[in-house]
Amino acid sequence: MAANKHAVAPMEVSVEAGNAGAAEWLDDDGRPRRTGTFWTASSHIITAVIGSGVLSLAWAIAQLGWVAGPTAMLLFAFVTYYTATLLAECYRTGDPETGKRNYTYMDAVRSNLGGAKVVFCGVIQYANLVGVAIGYTIASSISMKAIRRADCFHKNGHDDPCKSSSTPYMILFGLVQILFSQIPDFDQIWWLSIVAAVMSFTYSGIGLSLGIVQTISNGGFKGSLTGISIGVDVTATQKIWHSLQAFGDIAFAYSFSNILIEIQDTIRAPPPSESKVMQKATRLSVATTTIFYMLCGCMGYAAFGDNAPDNLLTGFGFYEPFWLLDVANVAIVVHLVGAYQVFCQPIFAFVERRAAAAWPDSAFISRELRVGPFALSLFRLTWRSAFVCVTTVVAMLLPFFGNVVGFLGAVSFWPLTVYFPVEMYIKQRRVPRGSTKWICLRMLSVGCLLVSIAAAVGSIANVIDALKVYRPFSG
């Protein structure tokens, strides 16, 4: 969940560590010698990729069916892997072994493209981080609500509606985030990635296991070749919107390109070059996560068919064992509490750097009080608390997990996973304009743009449809 962070120019989504030590312990850029390997890079990618997005894959496959669902997942996996190999080539500007290092995704964009594209990249990255914060607030509250409902169903039986609102849980989650946001460099805590990995595999593994058990209990696979049927519950138009949103859900599950450069920056110096090591690590990681995703998504669809929920562990396709569902949902909450802070730290750092530069003599901004792990200042307390409150209120207004996941996956897939890696690679490797490779790369980018637009439209249409019957703050 947290790779090495680096200090950056104001528009960058990262935080740089300092450097000291004897020359023999330094790399060619004067930073402490990197020690990462193929295996550590692979583990970082797998940890980053496998997250809450896995919970919506059964629903996504249910919309597309047994043919288009797995096919779409394989296509997204291939595109993600291929563009990641292009991005890995952009870690160094110039020579792949001795060129200037780019420590972050934004560094690579600045070195290779520059100008307005740097601003565009920054806007997309920060907008994506804000969206993820909202999505994590929704997902955490739904899991907390599911724990209460699972206990209620176990005690009162499955016929009891066990209705409850997710709003109080969102408020609770927001209060916890206000507290944690006062801890400086929360994302640098060394054990955070370990906890994230354990929690991710815990709830993903439980979801997969329950899907397998349910399929065996059913006596066979449910579902159809074309997915959910058009009928009383689903109109032809809704079928189209749901199918398009499914692409966004799958794209969200594979989103890791924006941290790939940072992971690559942990790999020890060549030979072989960092790009070759990273390409091998990406191949193993994407293959591993695709197999795992296929199992989770397909077994969820096999277990519930057209009734597959948009969140496998909170939609109550499963009721028992209730305690196992509780364990899975607690793991989701613990994971997302930390993940929220990791994704928000770059936003906090950007605003605070800008404020410090604009008003360097302001005591409101610079004066702080250290209390244990907390660094309290009036500006940090005010600004960070306001940010958390805004994301919490938006989550209360739009508490639709699947739709938000689909939209986030759609709007970030093309620019961050495809467009910038393709553009930087063309510039870095001086691919001749009009050549076969240039045309193929452009076609790939345009094709993925159309997919992203379609998925975003589908997600927005589904949100509008849900808002017709939803009363704000009632969820």
Side-chain angles (χ1 to χ4, degrees), residues 87-130:
L87 184 57
E89 294 282 351
C90 302
Y91 170 64
R92 287 182 182 266
T93 301
D95 189 276
E97 293 193 5
T98 61
K100 174 185 171 294
R101 296 175 187 263
N102 296 306
Y103 304 118
T104 67
Y105 192 104
M106 186 66 70
D107 280 341
V109 174
R110 182 178 293 108
S111 296
N112 289 284
L113 302 177
K117 290 181 180 178
V118 178
V119 177
F120 173 56
C121 181
V123 169
I124 292 293
Q125 282 192 300
Y126 282 112
N128 183 58
L129 294 180
V130 173

Side-chain angles (χ1 to χ4, degrees), residues 57-58 61 66 70 73 215 221 293-303:
L57 292 179
I61 292 181
W66 281 117
M73 199 173 294
T215 302
F221 284 25
Y293 281 176
M294 279 287 193
L295 288 171
C296 289
C298 291
M299 293 313 302
Y301 183 41

Side-chain angles (χ1 to χ4, degrees), residues 15 179-189 341 345 348 352 368-377 380 384:
V15 187
L179 178 67
F180 283 169
S181 66
Q182 305 309 311
I183 300 176
D185 300 325
F186 188 94
D187 55 333
Q188 302 281 332
I189 298 174
Q341 284 298 317
Q345 287 298 319
F348 295 158
E352 287 157 19
E368 67 177 32
L369 173 66
R370 289 275 177 171
V371 181
F374 302 98
L376 304 176
S377 75
R380 184 182 294 116
R384 295 191 179 192

